[in-house]
Amino acid sequence: MPELVVTALLAPSRLTLKLLRAFLWSLVFFAALVAAAVYGCIALTHVLCRPRRGFCGRPRRTPPACLSDPALGKHSFLTLKSSGLRLHYVSAGHGNGPLMLFLHGFPENWFSWRYQLREFQSHFHVVAVDLRGYGSSDAPRDVGCYNIDLLTADIQDVILGLGYSKCILVAHDWGAVIAWNFSIYYPSLVERMVVVNGPPLSVYQAYSMHHISQLFRSNYLFLFQLPWLPEKLLSMSDFQILKTTLTHHKSGIPHLSPSELEAFLYDFSQPSGLTGPLNYYRNLIRNFPLEPQELATPTLLLWGEKDTYFEQGLVGAISNRFVPGRLEAHILPGVGHWIPQSHPEEMHQYMWAFLQDLLH
């Protein structure tokens, strides 16, 4: 068929896609303005209630002692082959078994896996990374450096750079988004996967289009599409919005000590400490729409029934994309979003059972 004819036949589809994206971005921009107004009021209220803290976050000069706890492992850096970026990671149990690689979410860092690093280092080489843009890892300035393809390639470079040909991938929240994508495009590098409260991007997009209530739960996503303003709002009154997110009596992490809270705030309080993490969100909608993808990696999925940010219906949507027999899913009653930190004992029990046949 002549090339001109093919181009003519495809033109309507291309035009439809462009119009769809333009319409989507207009909705996103409107939602972003509404979210900015709401979060602006919240941030201003925090400032008025705590005027001594002011409009800015207090830079932390010294990291809290818990970040250098030797029981959690050794701090190291790895230069990635694909990008040349240096990622910070903490590891323990080298030589004790297969690689178990941990990917954190937002607003967290490697320290969110402290319970799992202690628990599994006796039988696995446990490694918790600071993803690009977080903590001591390199943080490129360009927003495009945080698209899902580059984030996925980082994980390949980490596994191979550590000298392994495959791993057990354990991920939460944003780390889960990356892990799902990684399992699709690099299946030979993932022996097993443990995912906690985080859906694949394609599942999230499709589910949200049919369940607008999920978009309301993820309202912060729209705020984060804006430049510079989210960083300002999150840092006001000494990062009170982040503090509330992590310590709220209903939706936060139970029994989080002041020192543990500072372990997260320390990184975000550094110059441009919030920009890298927020750039993950600024790339989300650029990938719309995504094609449905089949999931086949043997996976343990743990989901908190009381998750504030993700609906329980996403578990069923994820199950529908799986090859039969490859997914083991558990909904934890009365549990929220932060399972690795709020209910580590339950998580560990499920993980040991799921990984039992890999133990020597």
Side-chain angles (χ1 to χ4, degrees):
M1 187 179 293
E3 184 177 346
L4 185 62
V5 176
V6 174
T7 302
L9 291 174
L10 291 177
S13 298
R14 291 171 178 166
L15 178 61
T16 301
L17 186 58
K18 288 181 178 179
L19 290 174
L20 177 62
R21 284 178 173 166
F23 177 67
L24 172 68
W25 274 109
S26 64
L27 291 179
V28 169
F29 182 70
F30 175 75
L33 294 179
V34 173
V38 172
Y39 280 92
C41 291
I42 293 172
L44 186 59
T45 300
H46 288 317
V47 171
L48 294 175
C49 292
R50 304 169 182 85
R52 291 184 178 181
R53 293 185 182 177
F55 283 85
C56 299
R58 171 178 59 85
R60 274 68 173 167
R61 300 182 182 275
T62 306
C66 59
L67 284 178
S68 55
D69 183 353
L72 298 180
K74 178 184 177 182
H75 293 254
S76 305
F77 287 87
L78 179 68
T79 300
L80 304 183
K81 182 179 180 180
S82 301
S83 63
L85 296 177
R86 282 204 328 156
L87 293 193
H88 167 253
Y89 67 93
V90 175
S91 67
H94 187 272
N96 290 347
L99 173 64
M100 181 179 285
L101 182 62
F102 296 93
L103 309 181
H104 64 79
F106 176 81
E108 299 172 287
N109 55 28
W110 72 267
F111 186 71
S112 61
W113 299 110
R114 58 195 178 279
Y115 295 107
Q116 289 71 42
L117 289 173
R118 290 192 183 98
E119 177 74 12
F120 293 99
Q121 63 180 267
S122 61
H123 288 77
F124 298 91
H125 179 198
V126 292
V127 175
V129 298
D130 274 335
L131 298 172
R132 70 161 67 189
Y134 282 83
S136 300
S137 292
D138 285 347
R141 292 187 177 183
D142 185 56
V143 175
C145 290
Y146 296 86
N147 69 60
I148 189 63
D149 293 333
L150 294 177
L151 299 175
T152 303
D154 285 354
I155 308 309
Q156 178 196 28
D157 287 344
V158 169
I159 296 169
L160 299 180
L162 291 172
Y164 291 88
S165 59
K166 57 185 177 181
C167 76
I168 297 152
L169 202 53
V170 186
H172 171 246
D173 189 74
W174 247 110
V177 173
I178 300 170
W180 287 118
N181 203 61
F182 186 79
S183 71
I184 293 168
Y185 292 103
Y186 300 94
S188 64
L189 297 182
V190 188
E191 187 168 12
R192 300 283 176 87
M193 199 158 66
V194 178
V195 174
V196 187
N197 288 76
L201 274 182
S202 61
V203 172
Y204 178 83
Q205 284 188 2
Y207 184 88
S208 298
M209 292 300 99
H210 296 90
H211 301 82
I212 194 170
S213 54
Q214 175 57 57
L215 293 178
F216 281 102
R217 287 189 182 226
S218 305
N219 56 74
Y220 53 87
L221 183 155
F222 299 105
L223 170 68
F224 294 167
Q225 302 308 306
L226 300 174
W228 68 262
L229 182 60
E231 285 92 329
K232 180 63 178 177
L233 295 179
L234 292 183
S235 63
M236 287 173 66
S237 190
D238 196 32
F239 304 97
Q240 185 56 47
I241 289 179
L242 292 182
K243 289 179 180 178
T244 301
T245 299
L246 293 169
T247 63
H248 191 272
H249 69 284
K250 287 186 177 180
S251 58
I253 304 168
H255 313 300
L256 190 70
S257 71
S259 177
E260 291 170 335
L261 175 61
E262 286 297 312
F264 301 119
L265 297 182
Y266 172 77
D267 288 336
F268 298 130
S269 75
Q270 305 309 307
S272 302
L274 280 166
T275 300
L278 293 181
N279 282 341
Y280 283 56
Y281 293 93
R282 290 171 178 139
N283 278 276
L284 269 180
I285 301 176
R286 299 184 183 191
N287 296 311
F288 183 89
L290 290 172
E291 291 294 324
Q293 295 159 314
E294 187 177 66
L295 304 171
T297 299
T299 301
L300 170 66
L301 177 62
L302 302 178
W303 205 272
E305 177 196 23
K306 300 295 184 181
D307 192 318
T308 306
Y309 310 104
F310 294 122
E311 290 187 354
Q312 188 174 318
L314 282 163
V315 176
I318 294 170
S319 300
N320 291 337
R321 297 280 181 87
F322 253 93
V323 170
R326 299 291 181 89
L327 175 67
E328 178 184 330
H330 299 277
I331 297 175
L332 279 58
V335 177
H337 180 71
W338 315 96
I339 292 174
Q341 299 182 72
S342 65
H343 292 75
E345 294 85 1
E346 291 181 57
M347 178 176 175
H348 298 164
Q349 289 176 8
Y350 283 116
M351 286 182 64
W352 282 121
F354 180 66
L355 302 172
Q356 183 64 41
D357 62 308
L358 300 180
L359 301 177
H360 300 298

